[in-house]
């Protein structure tokens, strides 16, 4: 089992990351929580996890746009909980605009948070995982790591990039008991997509739920959003013994989006 393993999930204050933290905590993993909330809010969240699951926790609100900040965060986490056995690179942001008008700052932030941060965290965890001859690295990519969509130039570039990063690290680490995979979800019901739903609702004069349905069915044959916890359960599967042979894969969980 995973009891006593240390799992670090970036962006675990919300959405998919938070749900994944709960799924791994239920298994008895110690959890490094991370994301953009105040230190007080984060400390309270970590305390809830400690009480609910009888595990050790650590919280950081390190800004993933800053590599020095990431290194400091990872060092502090290891000092508090021990070396990282399971790394879930999940934090991510979105901005939608056509390429000609795409703000440079948004491009830089999306590449830094959705792609480069995973390079930095992976670099930090691989040596200790190799020493232990066991490790699990799971990158939350997206269906947009496999196909493109209009108005998502930075997001698609970052997500395709993380699929490439996943492949290379999986090859390098294959003899060290470390598996490295990317999960490629379709629509997941989280705050990340709220703005896209709001835009459709106001453009087409629809209710929030009507707009949500339109957004989902515009690309995804399965006419519903995934629940964040479903991604967490997939992460859990990839951490288990049955998934030992799955490495270097970009695994769609996309309601047939990329089957078309
Ligand atoms: P979310 O907005 O609910 O959570 C994002 C998390 O990232 C939060 O904890 C936030 O604090 C953190 N974060 C954002 N910017 C940060 C920064 N600069 N520094 C540190 N942390 C930062 O989003 P979500 O939908 O749960 O997304 C999680 C991952 O799943 C993302 O990588 C996203 O691209 C991916 N994904 C989401 C969907 C979807 O439909 N929601 C689909 C496919 C993939």
């Amino acid at each position: 089992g995973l009891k006593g393993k240390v799992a670090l999930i970036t962006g675990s204050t919300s959405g998919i990351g938070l749900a994944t933290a709960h799924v791994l905590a239920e298994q008895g993993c110690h959890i490094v929580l991370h994301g953009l909330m105040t230190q007080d809010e984060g400390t309270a969240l970590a305390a809830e996890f400690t009480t609910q699951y009888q595990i050790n926790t650590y919280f950081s609100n390190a800004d993933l746009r800053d590599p020095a900040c990431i290194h400091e965060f990872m060092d502090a986490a290891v000092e508090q909980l021990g070396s990282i056995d399971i790394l879930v690179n999940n934090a991510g942001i979105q901005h939608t605009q056509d390429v000609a008008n795409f703000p440079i700052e948004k491009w830089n932030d999306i590449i830094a948070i959705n792609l480069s941060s995973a390079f930095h965290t992976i670099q930090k965890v691989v040596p200790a995982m190799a020493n232990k001859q066991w490790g699990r690295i799971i990158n939350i990519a997206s269906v947009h790591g496999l196909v493109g969509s209009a108005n998502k130039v930075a997001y698609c570039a970052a997500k395709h990039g993380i699929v490439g990063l996943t492949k290379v690290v999986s090859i390098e680490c294959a003899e060290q008991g470390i598996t490295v995979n990317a999960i490629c979800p379709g629509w997941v019901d989280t705050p990340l997509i709220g703005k896209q739903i709001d835009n459709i609702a106001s453009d087409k004069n629809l209710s929030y739920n009507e707009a949500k349905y339109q957004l989902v069915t515009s690309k995804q044959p399965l006419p519903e959003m995934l629940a964040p916890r479903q991604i967490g359960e997939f992460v859990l599967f990839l951490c288990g013994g049955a998934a030992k042979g799955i490495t270097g894969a970009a695994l769609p969980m996309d309601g047939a989006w990329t089957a078309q």
Side-chain angles (χ1 to χ4, degrees):
L2 298 178
K3 197 171 159 57
K5 299 239 186 260
V6 178
L8 184 153
I9 305 122
T10 66
S12 43
T13 56
S14 171
I16 294 169
L18 180 58
T20 302
H22 279 288
V23 169
L24 295 177
E26 282 163 15
Q27 301 299 313
C29 291
H30 303 304
I31 304 287
V32 181
L33 292 158
H34 163 268
L36 299 182
M37 53 171 49
T38 66
Q39 195 61 48
D40 282 351
E41 288 167 338
T43 306
L45 179 65
E48 274 174 39
F49 269 76
T50 304
T51 314
Q52 190 175 346
Y53 302 110
Q54 303 295 306
I55 56 167
N56 301 331
T57 56
Y58 176 73
F59 167 77
S60 164
N61 54 13
D63 188 335
L64 296 181
R65 289 174 300 183
D66 178 358
C69 221
I70 298 174
H71 280 255
E72 215 175 284
F73 153 48
M74 303 290 287
D75 287 340
V78 170
E79 197 177 297
Q80 293 296 315
L81 298 190
S83 71
I84 309 303
D85 301 297
I86 299 166
L87 169 65
V88 184
N89 286 306
N90 163 78
I93 60 166
Q94 176 63 285
H95 180 81
T96 55
Q97 212 155 350
D98 61 300
V99 65
N101 295 301
F102 207 90
I104 293 167
E105 317 80 64
K106 289 287 182 195
W107 169 272
N108 287 338
D109 283 355
I110 290 175
I111 298 298
I113 297 164
N114 298 19
L115 174 58
S116 300
S117 77
F119 162 73
H120 298 297
T121 58
I122 287 172
Q123 226 180 20
K124 290 292 274 185
V125 301
V126 158
M129 286 179 177
N131 276 339
K132 288 189 185 171
Q133 287 288 307
W134 198 91
R136 292 288 179 270
I137 300 173
I138 294 129
N139 299 319
I140 308 302
S142 164
V143 76
H144 289 117
L146 304 170
V147 295
S149 284
N151 300 319
K152 295 187 177 175
V153 67
Y155 191 84
C156 288
K159 295 300 187 181
H160 277 71
I162 207 164
V163 168
L165 172 71
T166 301
K167 289 177 181 175
V168 171
V169 183
S170 74
I171 296 165
E172 291 184 10
C173 295
E175 292 182 11
Q176 272 102 52
I178 306 168
T179 70
V180 190
N181 290 291
I183 297 177
C184 301
W187 294 114
V188 188
D189 202 353
T190 77
L192 182 104
I193 57 173
K195 213 165 163 196
Q196 293 177 67
I197 297 170
D198 288 340
N199 289 344
I200 294 175
S202 70
D203 287 357
K204 301 193 175 168
N205 204 12
L206 297 173
S207 74
Y208 187 83
N209 279 334
E210 287 166 342
K212 191 167 170 178
Y213 181 80
Q214 275 215 357
L215 183 68
V216 177
T217 53
S218 66
K219 293 261 173 161
Q220 184 181 293
L222 179 73
E224 63 196 48
M225 300 215 173
L226 302 180
R229 207 185 145 90
Q230 291 174 290
I231 317 302
E233 301 277 3
F234 198 6
V235 169
L236 175 60
F237 172 74
L238 291 173
C239 291
K244 204 178 163 190
I246 304 177
T247 188
L251 303 158
M253 195 179 192
D254 66 358
W257 185 324
T258 56
Q260 300 166 99

